[in-house]
Amino acid sequence: MNKTAVITGASKGIGKALAEKMLGKNYTVIGTSRSGKIQIKHPNFHSLALDLTDFSSIEKAQIEINNNFEHINVLINNAALGSDLHFDLPERQSFEQTFDTNVKGTVFFTEAMVNRIPNDGIILNISSKMGSVEVCEKFGSVAYRMSKSALNMYTKILKNRLAGKVKVACIHPGWVKTTIIESNLKNATLTPEESAEKIFSFLMSDFKNGIYWDCEEGVALPW
Ligand SMILES: NC(=O)c1ccc[n+]([C@@H]2O[C@H](COP(=O)([O-])OP(=O)(O)OC[C@H]3O[C@@H](n4cnc5c(N)ncnc54)[C@H](OP(=O)(O)O)[C@@H]3O)[C@@H](O)[C@H]2O)c1
């Protein structure tokens, strides 16, 4: 039987490329976006509306998944905002949006899914090397950096809680040409498809439980 993956934020960028990659590898993929409208046509693809900033949307998505899918083998927490990637200083609205999506929504959606993940399942949190406390030498993008550090901590917490059952990791997907920030389309080094390829190889590898991994360089990152 096909394995089932849930990928949040599958409407564009890395999440969409990863959904397409995993469909090509015979996964059944449930891809989410706020509207639920995702331009992927494949018999094993199921799109779902999910707004991580809205608890009732998380509950609805949970019911929909529970009613239609027996289990989730892989949960990929990919959806995120980078609305303060341009900013040097914390700014209230983007700070709230970023934490509501990248931290609060991601944690509570994961909690809604965790009982559906069988033994030998995987939770992959798409973090960023911008979340590394140890290598931080800049001062901008405060909310984005802090949100990814928080996601890294949640990864460790899940690893401790689910040890022996579900494997967990947080990864840097590389510097990828997406619209998370407009300048990435010109400056970034990887296409979404190249990033998806590297993420999928990591997923298939015998990775160390709880690791923080740079998929672009193929090395563990310092926390
Ligand atoms: N691009 C890079 O260079 C880079 C580097 C390091 C880490 N990352 C990480 O990689 C992941 C994917 O980034 P990307 O560059 O592919 O970004 P992207 O192209 O902007 O895609 C973001 C996805 O998140 C979804 N999303 C946004 N807000 C949401 C919300 N409130 N609820 C649910 N879904 C929401 C979007 O869907 P809708 O707008 O359709 O709802 C979209 O599908 C993120 O976690 C990002 O932090 C990216």
Side-chain angles (χ1 to χ4, degrees):
M1 208 170 74
N2 286 6
K3 287 190 169 179
T4 301
V6 171
I7 304 176
T8 64
S11 59
K12 56 184 177 171
I14 297 165
K16 184 165 188 239
L18 198 50
E20 285 166 337
K21 175 85 204 168
M22 293 181 78
L23 287 164
K25 296 287 179 184
N26 289 327
Y27 278 77
T28 292
V29 175
I30 306 161
T32 79
S33 74
R34 279 170 289 190
S35 68
K37 293 189 182 106
I38 300 178
Q39 301 304 317
I40 296 179
K41 293 207 182 334
H42 191 286
N44 296 335
F45 182 70
H46 306 266
S47 63
L48 188 65
L50 171 68
D51 183 345
L52 289 168
T53 66
D54 177 355
F55 282 108
S56 68
S57 172
I58 293 176
E59 274 169 21
K60 270 192 211 147
Q62 179 183 23
I63 291 166
E64 190 72 21
I65 289 172
N66 287 351
N67 286 345
N68 293 292
F69 301 90
E70 216 167 281
H71 50 248
I72 303 301
N73 303 92
V74 182
L75 168 62
I76 302 183
N77 286 314
N78 167 76
L81 279 186
S83 50
D84 80 339
L85 282 167
H86 294 100
F87 300 163
D88 283 343
L89 298 175
E91 182 274 330
R92 193 164 155 181
Q93 196 187 354
S94 59
F95 204 101
E96 281 173 2
Q97 280 173 349
T98 302
F99 265 73
D100 283 353
T101 309
N102 302 10
V103 183
K104 233 159 74 177
T106 298
V107 167
F108 285 96
F109 181 65
T110 305
E111 295 299 325
M113 291 295 102
V114 87
N115 291 334
R116 287 314 257 202
I117 305 177
N119 286 351
D120 86 0
I122 295 176
I123 299 174
L124 191 60
N125 291 326
I126 310 294
S127 179
S128 165
K129 62 180 174 191
M130 288 177 74
S132 171
V133 173
E134 208 168 317
V135 301
C136 183
E137 287 168 354
K138 297 189 177 163
F139 60 81
S141 315
V142 178
Y144 184 77
R145 285 180 198 283
M146 289 176 69
S147 75
K148 294 302 187 178
S149 307
L151 183 63
N152 291 351
M153 176 57 93
Y154 184 52
T155 305
K156 278 277 186 179
I157 288 166
L158 283 175
K159 177 241 169 192
N160 296 340
R161 185 170 121 204
L162 304 175
K165 185 177 175 249
V166 173
K167 274 179 93 177
V168 189
C170 46
I171 58 126
H172 172 65
W175 190 22
V176 189
K177 294 179 185 295
T178 72
T179 51
I180 192 160
I181 175 168
E182 214 55 38
S183 56
N184 266 19
L185 291 176
K186 186 165 165 262
N187 299 331
T189 47
L190 298 179
T191 63
E193 291 71 26
E194 287 165 341
S195 172
E197 182 73 46
K198 288 173 189 291
I199 295 169
F200 188 72
S201 297
F202 173 79
L203 203 60
M204 292 298 102
S205 70
D206 185 20
F207 65 84
K208 187 175 168 224
N209 197 13
I211 203 161
Y212 179 26
W213 186 258
D214 182 340
C215 285
E216 187 164 19
E217 301 294 334
V219 291
L221 282 161
W223 297 91

